[in-house]
Amino acid sequence: MKTRTTRALRCSAVLLAAQVALAACGSSDGSGSAGQAGSPSFTGRGPITYVAGKDSTGSVQAAIDRWNERHPKEKVTFVQLPTDADSQRQQMIQNAETKSDAYTVLSLDVVWTSEFAAHQWVDRLPDKQFPLRKMLTPVVETARYRGGLYAAPSSSDGGLLYYRSDLLKKAGIGGPPATWSEMKADCAKVKKLPEAKDMSCYAGQFQKYEGLTVNFSEAVNSADGVVTDARGNPDVDTPEARKGLDFLVDSFKDGTIPKEAITYQEEDGRQAFQAGKLVFLRNWPYMYSLAQKSKVAGKFAVAPLPGLTGPGSSSLGGHNLALSSFAKNKATALDFIKFFTDEDSAARNLKDASLAPPYANLYDDTALTRQYPYLPVLKQSILRAVPRPRVVQYGDVSSVIERQAYAALTGAKSSAQALKDLQGDLQKTATQ
C-alpha cells in the first residue's frame, strides 16, 4: 500500500498543462503577478473592504469591529456575499475581471488560490511577515502558488466521522470503525438494538454540488487512489479509484446510505444525525457545537474518516485571505490580513464559530481540548488530508467531477463508465 504522504503529494500536484498555459501571465513589473520574482508595493492607507460569504455566526463582524475601534482612519467595511461558494467565487471573479477596486481583502476557499494567483487577480504576499512556521504545513501549502505565498491561512477544515457513541457502547462495540467494512459491521450490530432499528447507517454530502466533489475525492483517496498523478495529469480511471467510488455506489444500493441522502448537503446530514436518524455521519467540525445543543448531546463523538484498509483521508477545507491586485490602500490591507489571521484571531474564531485554526499549538492546548474534545482528532484529519486538485480552472474541474460521480450514485452509469468518462472530461479541461 502506498503511503498516505506519497498520496498527498501526488494529489497536491496541479494540472501541469493548465499552469504551463498560464505561465506567460507572469511579469516583472512589481505588480505581484504570478511567476514574478519581485513583490508588489504595499502602499496607501485608508478605508478598505473585506469580502466573504455571509457571516452566520457574527464572529467576522466582531473582528472587524475590533479593528475599526483601533484604526478609526482605516476602517474596514464588510461586504457579505451569498452563502454558497460558487456564487462567492463568481462575484469575486467578476470584480477582478473589471479591475474594480471595490474589493480589497478576499476570503478565498483554499481551492481557489491557484486560479486567482495565475490570473494575477491577487498580489503575492511577503512570506516573512507571516508566522507560517507556527502553522500546520498542509494548511500553508493551500496558500501557495508556484513557490509564492498568495494568501494567508485564516482557517482550516477537515472531515470528521460523527458517530453515536452511546449506541456503539450499548451494542458492545469498543470504539469507532477504522475501515468501511468495520463501519458497516458496527452498524448492523447497532441496528439490532430496539431503539436503533429504524436508523440508517451512514451519510455524507451527495447532492450534485461542491460537497459531492469533496466526498468523491475522499472516497478515492481513502482507497489509495488519486484524482491527479505526480505530474498533475488526471489519473482517476484506475482500480483504486473504482474501489472508492464503488464504496459509495454499493452503499446506496445496499441501504447503508439512505436513498434520501442523494439530496444531502452539510445541513441536511447534520439535522438527520441530530434527529436520531443516522448512526454515522461525515461532516465538518462546525457541526460539533451545534450537535451539543441538540437531542444527541452527550451521546456522540468524532473519529477520523474510515477508509478501505485503515483510516481514510479527508479533503482539505478552509479559507485564506488574499489581497486584490486592483485594490487601494494596500498597506492598510496587509496589516488587516495580519490582524485577521494572527493566533489570537484564530483562537477567537475557534471559540466563536468552531473554525479550525491554522496554528498547530492550539490543537494541543489543554484548556481548549477540554472545551473542544474534537481538536486532537481534527488535527489528525488535517495532517492526513489531501487537497482537492489545485488547478487554475477549479470550478470547471469540480463540475465534471460532480456530474460523473452523481451519475454513478444514481445508477445512470456504472462506476467503471463514470470514471472512464471523468478521465476524458478532466483531460479536456486540463487542455482548455
Side-chain angles (χ1 to χ4, degrees):
M1 181 176 176
K2 303 179 184 69
T3 65
R4 298 202 181 278
T5 300
T6 300
R7 221 169 56 234
L9 289 173
R10 292 204 310 263
C11 289
S12 295
V14 294
L15 290 178
L16 186 60
Q19 286 196 353
V20 170
L22 279 157
C25 292
S27 68
S28 58
D29 60 4
S31 63
S33 304
Q36 69 173 43
S39 298
S41 177
F42 298 104
T43 59
R45 292 197 172 276
I48 62 171
T49 59
Y50 174 66
V51 186
K54 186 177 179 180
D55 179 20
S56 58
T57 65
S59 60
V60 174
Q61 188 59 58
I64 291 174
D65 290 343
R66 290 196 302 275
W67 167 275
N68 287 343
E69 185 177 351
R70 301 174 194 174
H71 305 84
K73 295 183 179 180
E74 301 174 82
K75 287 192 173 182
V76 175
T77 299
F78 185 18
V79 179
Q80 295 195 56
L81 301 182
T83 55
D84 71 284
D86 290 341
S87 296
Q88 294 170 25
R89 173 179 167 272
Q90 182 180 19
Q91 291 191 32
M92 289 181 187
I93 289 176
Q94 287 174 347
N95 184 81
E97 288 179 336
T98 61
K99 298 184 178 181
S100 170
D101 62 4
Y103 292 175
T104 310
V105 176
L106 310 176
S107 177
L108 301 182
D109 187 296
V110 293
V111 296
W112 301 343
T113 304
S114 296
E115 178 180 19
F116 278 67
H119 285 90
Q120 306 177 58
W121 293 333
V122 294
D123 283 337
R124 181 169 179 169
L125 301 179
D127 297 50
K128 294 182 180 180
Q129 294 189 33
F130 293 90
L132 302 179
R133 291 187 178 182
K134 294 184 178 181
M135 299 181 181
L136 296 170
T137 300
V139 178
V140 174
E141 288 305 306
T142 68
R144 294 191 181 280
Y145 174 71
R146 295 177 66 84
L149 185 74
Y150 285 87
S154 175
S155 65
S156 187
D157 229 349
L160 300 172
L161 181 70
Y162 289 79
Y163 66 97
R164 287 291 299 272
S165 54
D166 62 327
L167 297 180
L168 265 65
K169 182 178 181 180
K170 191 170 184 179
I173 301 168
T179 67
W180 294 328
S181 60
E182 288 177 4
M183 183 175 71
K184 290 189 176 186
D186 289 350
C187 189
K189 293 179 182 178
V190 169
K191 284 176 64 64
K192 291 180 180 180
L193 300 173
E195 62 266 45
K197 64 178 182 178
D198 295 326
M199 296 179 73
S200 295
C201 180
Y202 173 76
Q205 294 77 49
F206 305 116
Q207 193 179 112
K208 190 160 58 173
Y209 79 117
E210 177 64 19
L212 180 53
T213 295
V214 168
N215 280 249
F216 166 81
S217 299
E218 288 175 344
V220 169
N221 294 327
S222 296
D224 207 33
V226 299
V227 178
T228 59
D229 68 13
R231 294 183 297 175
N233 297 310
D235 192 25
V236 76
D237 187 12
T238 64
E240 292 83 6
R242 183 173 176 180
K243 289 176 183 178
L245 182 55
D246 277 345
F247 160 66
L248 298 178
V249 171
D250 293 344
S251 293
F252 269 101
K253 288 180 180 179
D254 65 21
T256 298
I257 300 176
K259 291 181 179 180
E260 58 266 26
I262 196 66
T263 67
Y264 278 10
Q265 294 190 14
E266 284 83 357
E267 281 297 277
D268 304 295
R270 177 179 72 83
Q271 291 169 8
F273 185 85
Q274 292 178 184
K277 296 180 179 180
L278 294 169
V279 180
F280 299 101
L281 173 69
R282 179 257 176 245
N283 213 329
W284 302 104
Y286 87 96
M287 173 180 153
Y288 195 96
S289 59
L290 296 173
Q292 285 286 46
K293 301 173 184 176
S294 73
K295 64 186 255 182
V296 298
K299 300 178 181 179
F300 73 94
V302 295
L305 296 177
L308 178 62
T309 60
S313 295
S314 168
S315 290
L316 189 60
H319 284 80
N320 302 325
L321 265 57
L323 174 54
S324 169
S325 299
F326 314 104
K328 297 178 181 177
N329 299 327
K330 291 187 178 183
T332 296
L334 183 62
D335 285 347
F336 176 74
I337 292 174
K338 293 175 186 176
F339 160 81
F340 201 90
T341 61
D342 67 16
E343 191 170 330
D344 178 67
S345 293
R348 287 175 182 266
N349 286 335
L350 171 62
K351 296 174 182 177
D352 297 341
S354 294
L355 294 179
Y359 292 89
N361 66 300
L362 293 181
Y363 291 89
D364 304 317
D365 183 282
T366 303
L368 288 175
T369 53
R370 278 200 300 265
Q371 189 173 359
Y372 307 98
Y374 62 85
L375 282 178
V377 177
L378 176 56
K379 183 179 180 180
Q380 293 178 44
S381 176
I382 293 173
L383 290 176
R384 281 203 299 261
V386 178
R388 285 161 280 173
R390 286 193 280 164
V391 298
V392 172
Q393 300 295 347
Y394 180 79
D396 295 336
V397 168
S398 184
S399 293
V400 298
I401 292 175
E402 294 164 20
R403 183 170 66 248
Q404 297 298 347
Y406 191 82
L409 296 187
T410 56
K413 293 182 180 181
S414 66
S415 293
Q417 187 62 52
L419 291 172
K420 181 179 180 181
D421 293 344
L422 178 57
Q423 177 74 13
D425 288 344
L426 291 175
Q427 287 174 334
K428 291 177 184 177
T429 302
T431 57
Q432 288 176 352

